[in-house]
Amino acid sequence: MSSFNPGRGRGRSGRGPKPISSNPSSQPRLNVCRNFASTGICTHGDRCNFAHVVKMHASTVASEKNPDAKPSYGYHPGRSGGSNKSKEYHKVTSVAVWETQGAIKLFTGSHDGKWRLWSTAPAAGGGTGATLTKDFEHFVGGPVDAVHIASHYFFCGFEAAPIEAPDAKAGMVHSWNLNAAQDPPLELWISPMAKYAGSGRIRSLWTTADGSVFSGGTDGIIRQWAFNPTGGPSGKGGFILVRSMSGHLGAVTGIALAGPMLWSGGMDGTIRLWNMESGDNAHLIPAVKQDAAANGAPPASHSGPVTGLLPFEAPNNQGTFVFSSSLDETVRVWNANNGECVASETHGQGVTAIALTTDLKGNPLLLCGLFYGDIMIRGTISNPPLCLLLKISHNFIGVGHELGPVNDIQPGPGNTFYAVADDGKLTVWQITGDFGL
């Protein structure tokens, strides 16, 4: 295996359509078996010419029907736009995995204004696959753009009308203690005179082990919150605003902590690194014009909106990195110590969500959710780096997300991962075979 050769030095809504690239990404190392991926069974067994490495356990609609459905952006080879289908359901924007008392539960957030709690269980009667059961749903008053789990706390970022301005909209963050689910949620307020978490919708959330919460919104501001047992905004225990960090032009769509730096990415295409002690913007990775790659060497930064950030500790002390995804169709890898771009790969369509999981041997893998509903799985420390291992496409295997974008992907235990998309669906997957890494 090879690393990214780090340099020396000092760490999901509102997306417009992105046409398929005229330079599609390289072919995957493995081609997925349609029968195995959809049922977990292939009559050809070891004689099958396709790979038995991933299967979909379950799929369910996780949103309500959208009366204002618009044309989709389903993937069709050779075409630069969407199909004639409509997105029948409100988009599902986010998913979070909660492991509790040996069970796996899922939270999803949707633009129908609800978050939902799901239970997972093996299929009845010893069959293949799994079942998803909706345990609970809660209407928060407006579109949900982010859900997040930290220990036994559930965070939800959504848009709603603040009490002091009932005809306006603001970004809200509420947090529920899952060990005391009957209690009302904690609300993150800018101040007692501004009972909301931002003047724009909350697009990203990040938490740290010390209890800090970071939120990023469409107002371009990152806010840091800290829990105070006695000094919350309501006079009881709660979260207080520590600092606000400004610089992005437009929505903050990704937040990640890598080493001493907080990384943020936005719809403006920039990535910013913030000093966690002072809150100062210590480093800027500027965006480049969309035609930059056509005018010479590939750019060392993004030429489209950044859709996600993900810290990565390479095995065997090979370094700390940050992955970034973008509608410019690339995933880039940055040295977390100096902000240098050390690797990049294109995908033929916008990359809308990223997550890390592992294969059966424990090798780290990168999951890439794409604009037209596909999911790519790449190696991380593979040779070459970011090697494309396989592509999951509803168009070819008949299961998965028929319509995109894939808005969020999250890993779970036992080599599982979970995806949600604009088609209103939640899908459950598991890596089951060897990728040859």
Side-chain angles (χ1 to χ4, degrees), residues 54-417:
V54 65
K55 65 178 179 180
M56 190 182 77
H57 280 294
S59 176
T60 190
V61 173
S63 189
E64 293 180 353
K65 286 193 173 183
N66 181 6
D68 301 318
K70 296 180 179 179
S72 74
Y73 296 104
Y75 174 59
H76 293 270
R79 294 184 59 179
S80 60
S83 70
N84 292 324
K85 279 195 171 186
S86 293
K87 296 180 179 180
E88 184 179 1
Y89 295 91
H90 286 279
K91 67 176 66 176
V92 185
T93 58
S94 45
V95 58
V97 182
W98 179 33
E99 298 180 57
T100 173
Q101 300 178 344
I104 303 172
K105 292 182 178 289
L106 307 173
F107 286 92
T108 58
S110 168
H111 271 196
D112 63 6
K114 295 180 179 180
W115 60 258
R116 293 171 171 85
L117 175 63
W118 306 84
S119 289
T120 65
T128 62
T131 60
L132 285 168
T133 303
K134 184 174 66 176
D135 295 336
F136 186 75
E137 65 180 21
H138 179 66
F139 181 66
V140 292
V144 177
D145 284 310
V147 296
H148 182 80
I149 289 286
S151 183
H152 57 277
Y153 283 91
F154 167 62
F155 293 84
C156 179
F158 60 97
E159 181 185 56
I163 295 175
E164 57 267 53
D167 291 330
K169 298 293 185 182
M172 308 289 186
V173 178
H174 289 185
S175 175
W176 284 263
N177 182 346
L178 298 176
N179 288 340
Q182 72 281 358
D183 292 349
L186 300 175
E187 300 182 19
L188 279 63
W189 294 349
I190 293 176
S191 76
M193 298 296 176
K195 296 180 180 180
Y196 44 86
S199 60
R201 288 160 69 162
I202 304 301
R203 290 287 303 278
S204 50
L205 292 169
W206 185 270
T207 55
T208 62
D210 65 1
S212 292
V213 178
F214 296 88
S215 62
T218 57
D219 56 9
I221 299 174
I222 303 158
R223 292 179 173 88
Q224 180 182 354
W225 314 81
F227 184 78
N228 188 319
T230 58
S234 63
K236 302 178 182 179
F239 289 91
I240 59 172
L241 180 63
V242 175
R243 63 165 62 102
S244 299
M245 294 168 276
S246 301
H248 283 286
L249 300 171
V252 179
T253 51
I255 301 174
L257 187 65
M261 293 289 178
L262 183 76
W263 289 58
S264 63
M267 290 295 289
D268 58 5
T270 69
I271 296 174
R272 295 177 180 268
L273 282 64
W274 307 85
N275 184 306
M276 287 307 302
E277 292 186 2
S278 65
D280 293 336
N281 193 171
H283 185 63
L284 168 66
I285 302 173
V288 297
K289 288 188 175 182
Q290 293 187 2
D291 59 356
N295 295 332
S301 53
H302 287 296
S303 60
V306 175
T307 56
L309 294 171
L310 192 62
F312 173 59
E313 293 284 345
N316 304 317
N317 298 316
Q318 294 185 72
T320 302
F321 302 90
V322 174
F323 293 102
S324 63
S325 57
S326 173
L327 292 185
D328 68 6
E329 305 179 349
T330 69
V331 164
R332 296 184 181 276
V333 187
W334 309 89
N335 183 338
N337 293 317
N338 60 14
E340 175 190 2
C341 183
V342 296
S344 177
E345 280 293 342
T346 61
H347 295 72
Q349 52 184 296
V351 186
T352 50
I354 49 176
L356 285 166
T357 188
T358 61
D359 66 9
L360 301 186
K361 298 177 181 177
N363 296 311
L365 303 174
L366 182 67
L367 305 169
C368 303
L370 304 182
F371 191 86
Y372 293 104
D374 302 331
I375 297 173
M376 288 186 180
I377 301 180
R378 291 187 176 274
T380 54
I381 56 171
S382 55
N383 189 9
L386 296 180
C387 170
L388 178 57
L389 301 174
L390 64 82
K391 178 180 179 181
I392 300 170
S393 174
H394 185 282
N395 196 56
F396 297 110
I397 66 172
V399 294
H401 293 284
E402 187 174 4
L403 308 175
V406 174
N407 293 312
D408 196 13
I409 299 181
Q410 293 295 328
N415 306 102
T416 58
F417 61 95

